[in-house]
């Protein structure tokens, strides 16, 4: 777990906060100092706003950026920055929550994901977009989660009724987190395996979710052997949408839906 601290001069704090909340929608910690305000975001690498260490421009001013590992035995303070994430779409809802938060009240998919292990506490714009797009579809057949992180999308898919569900990642921490999270939620139907998507195609399934980043999505498109019926891709910036959609067209996949949130986009590509 990393604490990413962003220090802004007091007089520009509001503007910095405004822009920071675009990057860290689940909220920030605030510490007031003399002449400055420090905002902090807690998360694992990759999930944190990508700001260069040292100094960065935010809200029109120069801010100081510093990331430090939060020791395991440190205060439990960071926990309050991991709130449940609720996504509702297509008449369904899902809550992704840390174990210490209350379950969803009423109908819906309640998922426990322990933060601090792998990317994907549900709070990132791109994860939320993928969840939203998944909730809107009628679940059918097999689903593969390429780059599963904590397994949040695979677990949600299994609960929605996709069967079988395959979750792959090249990071052993992600595979372990996905297995643990599946167990913590009593979900048996998720097969977890290692795959390096930059070297070979991910396991085929009728539906694929791939919340990766632009260069890797381009690689994935280039290596695709058999097109899935539907692939939901995210991890791309708004400006990258057209390029990513175009990369999949040679496989007969066409854009059926596009969503934006913050600076991010997600696409649904379907076989013609
Ligand atoms: N699906 C989760 C996590 C997305 S983060 C969610 O939506 O929240 C992207 C994941 O892709 C990370 O877990 C990272 O380890 C994985 N990844 C990055 N490069 C990869 C590669 N070359 N092969 C396989 N997985 C990769």
């Amino acid at each position: 777990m990393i604490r990413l601290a962003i220090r802004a001069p007091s007089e520009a704090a509001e503007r910095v906060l405004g822009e920071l909340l675009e990057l860290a929608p689940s909220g920030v910690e605030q510490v007031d100092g003399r002449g400055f305000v420090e905002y902090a975001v807690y998360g694992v690498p990759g999930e944190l706003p990508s700001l260069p260490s040292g100094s960065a421009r935010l809200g029109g001013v120069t801010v100081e950026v510093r990331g430090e590992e939060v020791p395991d035995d440190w205060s439990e303070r960071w926990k309050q920055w991991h709130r449940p994430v609720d996504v509702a779409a297509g008449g369904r809802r899902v809550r992704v929550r840390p174990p210490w938060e209350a379950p969803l009240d009423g109908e819906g998919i309640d998922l426990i994901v322990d933060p601090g292990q792998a990317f994907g506490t549900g709070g990132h714009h791109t994860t939320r977009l993928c969840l939203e797009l998944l909730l809107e579809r009628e679940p059918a057949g097999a689903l593969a989660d390429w780059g599963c992180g904590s397994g949040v999308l695979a677990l949600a898919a299994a609960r929605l009724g996709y069967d079988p569900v395959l979750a792959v990642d090249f990071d052993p921490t992600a595979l372990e987190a996905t297995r643990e999270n599946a167990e913590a939620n009593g979900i048996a139907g998720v097969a977890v395996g290692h795959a390096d998507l930059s070297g070979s195609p991910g396991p085929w399934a009728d539906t694929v979710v791939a919340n990766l980043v632009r260069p890797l999505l381009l690689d994935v498109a280039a290596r695709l052997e058999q097109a899935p019926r539907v692939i939901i891709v995210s991890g791309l910036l708004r400006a990258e949408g057209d390029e990513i959609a175009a990369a999949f067209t040679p496989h007969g996949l066409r854009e059926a839906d596009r969503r934006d949130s913050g600076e991010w986009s997600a696409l649904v590509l379907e076989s013609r």
Side-chain angles (χ1 to χ4, degrees):
M1 177 67 57
I2 307 270
R3 179 178 190 271
L4 184 72
I6 294 106
R7 262 186 201 198
S10 302
E11 64 279 5
E14 289 282 299
R15 268 183 295 141
V16 170
L17 178 62
E19 207 168 306
L20 188 58
L21 286 174
E22 283 282 301
L23 305 171
S26 37
V28 299
E29 181 184 55
Q30 178 169 348
V31 182
D32 294 314
R34 194 178 287 196
F36 68 85
V37 175
E38 182 171 280
Y39 298 112
V41 189
Y42 294 86
V44 296
E47 196 162 30
L48 289 164
S50 51
L51 291 169
S53 220
S55 67
R57 295 288 291 177
L58 206 63
V61 295
T62 301
V63 295
E64 257 177 68
V65 182
R66 192 166 34 90
E68 56 191 17
E69 184 78 30
V70 178
D72 284 345
D73 60 353
W74 202 55
S75 79
E76 302 276 282
R77 196 154 62 108
W78 61 269
K79 284 192 173 177
Q80 62 177 299
W81 303 104
H82 288 279
R83 297 268 177 235
V85 172
D86 291 319
V87 179
R92 305 181 172 97
R93 29 182 219 149
V94 60
R95 164 167 293 183
V96 183
R97 62 177 172 97
W100 57 85
E101 287 282 351
L104 194 61
D105 195 11
E107 284 284 294
I109 298 171
D110 182 57
L111 291 177
I112 299 169
V113 172
D114 211 342
Q117 299 181 68
F119 185 107
T121 47
H124 198 269
H125 286 287
T126 60
T127 312
R128 296 176 70 116
L129 286 170
C130 289
L131 284 171
E132 197 178 303
L133 292 166
L134 269 179
L135 290 179
E136 285 176 12
R137 310 192 64 81
E138 264 325 297
L143 178 140
D145 181 0
W146 292 353
C148 59
S150 65
V152 54
L153 300 177
L155 299 178
R159 278 281 168 79
L160 280 167
Y162 287 94
D163 183 27
V165 174
L166 307 143
V168 298
D169 206 290
F170 75 161
D171 177 0
T173 315
L175 301 180
E176 195 185 318
T178 300
R179 285 193 193 101
E180 281 175 9
N181 286 324
E183 196 179 317
N185 287 284
I187 296 173
V190 177
V192 182
H194 178 273
D196 184 351
L197 300 163
S198 64
S200 52
W204 187 87
D206 201 56
T207 305
V208 171
V209 277
N211 188 12
L212 304 165
V213 284
R214 174 189 166 275
L216 189 54
L217 287 169
L218 293 176
D219 251 14
V220 163
R223 286 176 203 285
L224 200 62
E225 281 168 3
Q226 189 189 353
R229 190 175 52 83
V230 183
I231 178 165
I232 299 173
V233 295
S234 192
L236 47 127
L237 296 168
R238 283 178 191 238
E240 297 165 351
D242 291 345
E243 182 192 16
I244 299 297
F248 285 91
T249 19
H251 300 286
L253 289 157
R254 60 162 182 82
E255 185 174 335
D257 204 350
R258 184 186 294 214
R259 291 293 152 78
D260 305 314
S261 176
E263 55 182 336
W264 303 93
S265 286
L267 312 177
V268 180
L269 308 170
E270 288 183 353
S271 285
R272 278 176 233 277

